[in-house]
Amino acid sequence: PGSTESARCSEPRHSTHKGSTPLIPTMRAGILVPPQNFGLVEDGLYRSGQPTELSYPFLEQLQLRTILHLSADEPPAEFASWASEQRIQLVRLGAGADANMLSPWKPVSEEVVVEGLRRVLDPSSYPLLVMCNLGRHRTGTLIGCLRKLQRWSLTSVLEEYRRHACAKSRHLNEQFIELFDIDLVRVPEHSPPQLHLQAERGKPAG
């Protein structure tokens, strides 16, 4: 696989661009606290668990444009209010009739993953944060399916999933990633260049 930041469950690594915008913020005037299970996926694409008020200053340094909230539950009111104040589009995936999302022990649904990847492949969504409650299973499944689209080996895909899930990895999620059909995902002609995708790799579902 290409270059990516690995992170243990609660200990993100910090790095910066050679330019002026940091990939992951470093400490400046005060201590910046990242959300739990925070990690860098690709340039401008991040993952984490549910942010708290303590981690808002850290996230503000990322200049996020979009947050994908993978949950059947409404986001906390103060989090939604903060995102609105920051002019961040908070996209909730997994609501409504998606019964799979109602149980934390079931894999995220195929429909949610396909819609989530559609957002991830849209350059206008960036900088983008993918998150769920703990940043382990729903987030890990979506990122794992992205890695398949990037043609990572299954060994590398599952190693990344397990690293963020720690001792809580789930066989059903790993099986979902392994069996996910990337032909369900249409790769646009102008996908984010840091993902290194080719439009002909994906085809419209149907």
Side-chain angles (χ1 to χ4, degrees):
S3 170
T4 184
E5 283 290 322
S6 61
R8 286 177 288 180
C9 286
S10 58
E11 299 179 6
R13 295 183 180 179
H14 294 244
S15 65
T16 59
H17 282 297
K18 293 180 180 179
S20 59
T21 304
L23 287 174
I24 300 178
T26 54
M27 187 174 67
R28 294 181 180 176
I31 296 176
L32 294 177
V33 180
Q36 62 177 325
N37 219 354
F38 179 86
L40 172 67
V41 181
E42 297 287 356
D43 187 6
L45 177 58
Y46 311 94
R47 59 178 293 168
S48 79
Q50 174 66 55
T52 65
E53 187 173 357
L54 189 64
S55 61
Y56 293 168
F58 177 93
L59 293 178
E60 288 166 12
Q61 298 296 315
L62 301 178
Q63 302 177 350
L64 295 171
R65 182 174 292 177
T66 310
I67 295 176
L68 296 187
H69 185 264
L70 305 178
S71 176
D73 300 324
E74 292 281 355
E78 48 86 16
F79 175 60
S81 177
W82 169 81
S84 177
E85 290 172 0
Q86 297 296 316
R87 298 184 179 180
I88 299 171
Q89 183 183 19
L90 182 57
V91 180
R92 181 181 167 210
L93 298 180
D98 186 3
N100 279 338
M101 291 292 286
L102 299 180
S103 170
W105 292 103
K106 292 183 179 179
V108 62
S109 74
E110 186 176 82
E111 292 75 15
V112 166
V113 170
V114 171
E115 174 60 18
L117 289 176
R118 186 184 72 80
R119 303 268 183 174
V120 170
L121 299 184
D122 181 0
S124 69
S125 298
Y126 284 65
L128 169 65
L129 173 69
V130 180
M131 54 147 293
C132 59
N133 185 33
L134 297 175
R136 293 174 178 169
H137 305 298
R138 297 167 185 173
T139 297
T141 300
L142 191 147
I143 298 301
C145 293
L146 171 65
R147 297 309 195 189
K148 284 192 67 176
L149 200 62
Q150 292 179 293
R151 304 297 183 178
W152 279 31
S153 70
L154 182 61
T155 299
S156 297
V157 171
L158 296 183
E159 191 279 330
E160 183 181 46
Y161 168 78
R162 292 165 184 163
R163 186 169 65 247
H164 284 272
C166 294
K168 302 293 185 179
S169 61
R170 294 175 182 166
H171 176 70
L172 285 177
N173 291 327
E174 294 184 8
Q175 185 178 58
F176 181 99
I177 294 169
E178 180 178 2
L179 298 177
F180 180 72
D181 182 4
I182 62 174
D183 282 347
L184 294 172
V185 182
R186 178 183 177 276
V187 178
E189 182 178 355
H190 300 292
S191 60
Q194 64 269 40
L195 300 183
H196 304 290
L197 299 174
Q198 296 179 6
E200 63 268 22
R201 285 184 181 174
K203 297 183 292 186

